[in-house]
Amino acid sequence: MEAYHLIKNGSSKTAFELREINLEEPTKNQVQIEVEVFGLNFADVMARLGYYKACPPLPTVIGYDVVGRITKLGNQVKDFKVGQRVTALTRFGAYSTHVNTSYYGVVPIEEDTDAATATALATQYSTAYYAAEYSMNLRKGEKVLIQAAAGGVGTALVQLAKRKGCIIYGTAGSEEKLKYLQKQGVDFPINYKENDFYEYIKQQKGDKSIDVIFDSIGGNYVKKALKLLAPGGRLAMYGAAQIAGDTDKKSLYRQLKTLFGFGKYRPTQFFGNSQAIIGVNMLQIGDYKPYILKECMTEVVELYKKGEIKPVVSKVFYAKDLAEAHEYLQKRKSVGKLVCKW
Ligand SMILES: NC(=O)c1ccc[n+]([C@@H]2O[C@H](COP(=O)([O-])OP(=O)(O)OC[C@H]3O[C@@H](n4cnc5c(N)ncnc54)[C@H](OP(=O)(O)O)[C@@H]3O)[C@@H](O)[C@H]2O)c1
């Protein structure tokens, strides 16, 4: 058994080292999985750069999702079998040939399901599903703004909002990604490098014209987006990609800029406009409401089987090329999901 350990913050070229591991026996609620493919998530880039508070002390094994086969079962785990093929949301530890994880984040998949596609269903689709269905309770005809709509969670949100009959405004940072958004059915794709999303929507529809906002960028993006929020509107905040920037160097300036960029809010302004900002953090849901994580994971796998959602895989790397895969994600080259196979 071996795993890529995050040994150092900074450049992906020096951050990871392949080491032997001695995985313990799964605890009572865990299963052990032999990993076929592990996924990359933007939070992994944040962890590598040293911005991710929940990341365990280094050296550690990061990574949130895998597809593989169950090799061992904890003594309280029912409804799973050794040998079963599964997709799983792991709480770190995924950049590994084997991982132990709580059965609440594990769902069986068919033998012929594409491994990379099924990896997207774990963290990115379950997060999007929780945000869209539990936090935002999307309704038909609602106008929805999705930031970084071409990314992993972004693509999932677009598909889930389309399924609900929403009208979608989606932002992305290149013409190539805009074409991708059009193909995905985004009604108003916005290249935020050419058009300020706030000015664009304000000109088209005016302030207070958007019912639901999904934000993963943070800082002044949230402040500006709130001006577009209609009475009765909701904003889901689930990331702060702005902090990462384009360099490997940790920047206190960018952290403070993002923090102060959010602006100041009074509870009465939300009460007065019947609005809400709701944070989404799937690690906390997994820790405190694991049965909800289970529901989200099970539901997205069902929707995938019914053909109602279709994850898009940007690229499949070999695990030995993990540094390159990280660079690809950090430099915003990917659409949809990135994975590494052993
Ligand atoms: N809270 C949770 O439980 C949870 C769970 C999963 C993911 N997330 C968050 O959701 C977001 C999306 O995650 P993902 O894994 O699906 O990643 P992703 O969207 O595939 O990749 C991140 C995208 O963010 C955009 N971006 C905007 N500003 C950026 C900046 N300053 N630096 C880098 N990228 C920037 C880029 O798209 P453009 O090229 O279009 O700018 C980039 O492709 C991340 O913020 C992540 O932390 C949160």
Side-chain angles (χ1 to χ4, degrees):
M1 293 183 192
E2 37 189 16
Y4 278 95
H5 287 66
L6 177 62
I7 55 164
K8 202 168 146 188
N9 293 127
S11 163
S12 63
K13 292 186 182 73
T14 51
F16 298 105
E17 192 173 274
L18 186 62
R19 294 181 178 176
E20 291 278 324
I21 54 165
N22 251 331
L23 203 56
E24 288 170 9
E25 291 297 300
T27 59
K28 60 181 183 185
N29 285 327
Q30 288 184 325
V31 300
Q32 188 166 106
I33 300 169
E34 184 174 5
V35 177
E36 231 175 283
V37 158
F38 62 82
L40 267 69
N41 290 279
F42 196 71
D44 303 353
V45 173
M46 297 292 262
R48 168 168 62 79
L49 297 176
Y51 290 119
Y52 199 50
K53 281 202 186 113
C55 181
L58 310 194
T60 189
V61 181
I62 60 171
Y64 284 120
D65 36 42
V66 299
V67 159
R69 234 169 252 288
I70 293 180
T71 49
K72 288 181 183 177
L73 300 169
N75 61 18
Q76 309 240 316
V77 178
K78 312 266 182 288
D79 305 329
F80 285 99
K81 285 186 293 209
V82 168
Q84 210 166 19
R85 194 161 179 256
V86 293
T87 180
L89 189 155
T90 62
R91 205 188 192 294
F92 301 104
Y95 291 8
S96 183
T97 57
H98 297 75
V99 63
N100 289 334
T101 194
S102 157
Y103 80 89
Y104 284 104
V106 181
V107 178
I109 55 169
E110 309 290 333
E111 284 298 319
D112 60 355
T113 303
D114 175 61
T117 305
T119 311
L121 293 172
T123 309
Q124 291 171 333
Y125 273 77
S126 71
T127 301
Y129 188 83
Y130 177 79
E133 296 288 333
Y134 287 69
S135 304
M136 298 289 102
N137 193 12
L138 287 183
R139 290 277 184 262
K140 188 174 177 188
E142 285 192 310
K143 292 187 202 68
V144 173
L145 167 62
I146 302 170
Q147 304 284 19
V153 179
T155 298
L157 285 170
V158 167
Q159 294 178 1
L160 292 167
K162 283 286 314 168
R163 180 178 162 265
K164 281 285 164 102
C166 298
I167 298 151
I168 305 174
Y169 294 74
T171 68
S174 70
E175 279 310 307
E176 212 182 332
K177 287 189 180 183
L178 245 60
K179 282 187 197 138
Y180 169 83
L181 291 187
Q182 257 157 0
K183 267 201 204 156
Q184 287 290 320
V186 171
D187 302 279
F188 299 94
I190 305 166
N191 184 338
Y192 66 82
K193 288 195 177 143
E194 287 174 0
N195 288 305
D196 181 282
F197 78 88
Y198 168 68
E199 293 297 338
Y200 176 92
I201 296 175
K202 189 183 160 192
Q203 265 173 24
Q204 300 254 332
K205 298 276 169 197
D207 277 337
K208 300 188 175 185
S209 56
I210 299 290
D211 302 301
V212 175
I213 297 166
F214 292 99
D215 184 88
S216 59
I217 312 293
N220 60 342
Y221 278 67
V222 169
K223 188 176 171 181
K224 281 199 281 189
L226 277 174
K227 291 198 254 177
L228 297 169
L229 200 62
R234 295 89 73 204
L235 184 147
M237 233 207 87
Y238 59 96
Q242 197 179 77
I243 293 176
D246 291 325
T247 64
D248 290 329
K249 228 171 160 212
K250 199 170 169 182
S251 157
L252 180 62
Y253 167 73
R254 262 200 317 275
Q255 283 175 281
L256 292 174
K257 190 173 167 225
T258 306
L259 184 66
F260 288 111
F262 280 110
K264 282 188 188 160
Y265 313 108
R266 287 168 286 107
T268 48
Q269 85 189 66
F270 297 105
F271 157 53
N273 288 299
S274 201
Q275 292 175 329
I277 297 187
I278 302 180
V280 172
N281 184 330
M282 287 313 275
L283 285 189
Q284 296 293 316
I285 297 301
D287 287 350
Y288 288 90
K289 298 193 170 190
Y291 56 93
I292 290 185
L293 171 63
K294 182 104 205 139
E295 283 172 18
C296 292
M297 289 285 296
T298 306
E299 193 55 32
V300 293
V301 171
E302 277 310 304
L303 291 178
Y304 170 70
K305 282 186 191 161
K306 287 192 242 164
E308 293 189 31
I309 52 173
K310 289 192 171 79
V312 174
V313 177
S314 185
K315 215 166 164 176
V316 180
F317 289 85
Y318 283 104
K320 68 177 176 50
D321 299 321
L322 177 61
E324 206 187 312
H326 254 250
E327 183 89 356
Y328 199 81
L329 183 56
Q330 185 184 0
K331 294 284 181 309
R332 312 184 193 185
K333 292 183 184 161
S334 61
V335 293
K337 185 72 179 166
L338 275 184
V339 302
C340 287
K341 68 175 178 186
W342 285 103

